[in-house]
Amino acid sequence: QSVLTQPPSVSAAPGQKVTISCSGSSSNVGNNYVSWFQHFPGTAPKLLIYDNNKRPSGIPDRFSGSKSGTSATLGITGLQTGDEADYYCGTWDSSLSAYVFGTGTKVAVL
Amino acid sequence: QLQLQESGPGLVKPSETLSLTCTVSGGSINNNSYYWGWIRQPPGKGLEWIGTIYYTGNTYYNPSLKGRVTISLDTSNNHFSLKLNSVTAADTAIYYCARDRDGLWDYWGQGTLVTVSS
C-alpha cells in the first residue's frame, strides 16, 4: 500500500497535454524532493524529473515537474505515441525511513 | 557510460534465500558521491524500494521487509549484492539494481525476474 497516490490512468490525443498528480503528506512530498520515472514494462525505468522540477540531460522539455505543498505534478506536452508508458513518482518518507514510490499511472495516447 | 546488470537464479523455493548480484561497469561503486540499491516490481504491481548501501558499507532497508534483507558491497569486483531470506510467493518480482544519487535513481539495470515457487 503506497503512501503516494497517483491516478491509475490518464489519456489524451497526440499533441495534447496530460498531467499526473502525486499526492502525499508532510513526511514525504511535503518536505523532500520528488522524482518522476518513466517505465516501459520489461525495461529499466528511466529518470525523467528530479528535485521536483529538474530534467536530466537528454530528457526533452516536453516533460516538466512541479510541487505544491504535499502534491507533485508531472506534465507531458506534445503527447506522442512513444510516451505510452507507466509513470511513477518517488521520494523519501521521513516517517517511514523509506524511499517510497507512487502507485503508478498508465498514460494512453488516444 | 555507466551500466548495471543483475544476475542470479530465476527460481527460488519458498522459505529459502533469494540472492542477486548487480555488476557495475563504466564507473566505480567505491565512490562517495553515490549510493547503490535494489528496487522490485511484483507482477501487475508498482515499484517497491528494498534497500540501499553506501560505499562505506552503511545500509538502509525498507522496514516493511522486516529484517529479511541484507545488501553488501564487493568493491574489488565492483558489484553489490542482495540477499532476501525466508521468501514466499509474495517476493516474486522483477528485481532492479540502481544507482542512487542523493535521493534520485539515475541509472538502472534491465531487471531480472525472480519467481518463488516449489
Side-chain angles (χ1 to χ4, degrees):
Chain A
Q1 201 83 342
S2 177
V3 297
L4 304 181
T5 303
Q6 300 178 228
S9 63
V10 297
S11 61
Q16 297 301 302
K17 175 180 179 177
V18 294
T19 59
I20 301 170
S21 59
C22 173
S23 178
S25 69
S26 59
S27 67
N28 42 65
V29 174
N31 285 287
N32 293 291
Y33 285 120
V34 175
S35 296
W36 288 91
F37 304 90
Q38 178 188 58
H39 188 206
F40 296 99
T43 71
K46 176 193 285 189
L47 177 68
L48 283 181
I49 298 289
Y50 67 97
D51 290 358
N52 303 330
N53 56 17
K54 297 182 174 65
R55 286 186 310 276
S57 64
I59 301 300
D61 60 6
R62 300 188 300 107
F63 296 93
S64 64
S66 63
K67 191 179 88 167
S68 178
T70 58
S71 287
T73 301
L74 174 71
I76 310 174
T77 59
L79 201 61
Q80 302 174 0
T81 55
D83 297 331
E84 289 197 321
D86 298 320
Y87 293 80
Y88 294 90
C89 58
T91 187
W92 183 257
D93 189 298
S94 306
S95 293
L96 298 175
S97 293
Y99 192 91
V100 290
F101 290 95
T103 49
T105 299
K106 185 174 293 293
V107 169
V109 182
L110 302 174
Chain B
Q1 175 78 345
L2 191 76
Q3 292 187 315
L4 292 81
Q5 179 66 57
E6 305 89 351
S7 60
L11 181 64
V12 181
K13 290 182 169 52
S15 80
E16 295 191 345
T17 297
L18 178 160
S19 296
L20 294 175
T21 294
C22 181
T23 300
V24 179
S25 57
S28 173
I29 64 172
N30 194 18
N31 186 318
N32 64 4
S33 296
Y34 307 113
Y35 295 74
W36 307 89
W38 292 92
I39 291 156
R40 69 181 182 179
Q41 183 179 34
K45 296 188 177 181
L47 301 171
E48 179 185 29
W49 173 71
I50 298 171
T52 297
I53 189 165
Y54 193 43
Y55 83 108
T56 56
N58 287 356
T59 50
Y60 311 85
Y61 299 135
N62 192 327
S64 71
L65 292 169
K66 296 175 185 167
R68 297 192 294 129
V69 182
T70 303
I71 297 176
S72 59
L73 278 176
D74 182 345
T75 54
S76 59
N77 289 301
N78 216 42
H79 70 229
F80 60 103
S81 299
L82 168 70
K83 290 189 187 300
L84 180 65
N85 57 36
S86 304
V87 297
T88 68
D91 295 309
T92 293
I94 297 174
Y95 285 76
Y96 297 96
C97 60
R99 187 178 81 172
D100 176 12
R101 181 163 59 90
D102 198 20
L104 62 91
W105 302 89
D106 58 354
Y107 284 91
W108 297 64
Q110 288 297 306
T112 186
L113 174 64
V114 179
T115 302
V116 178
S117 175
S118 55

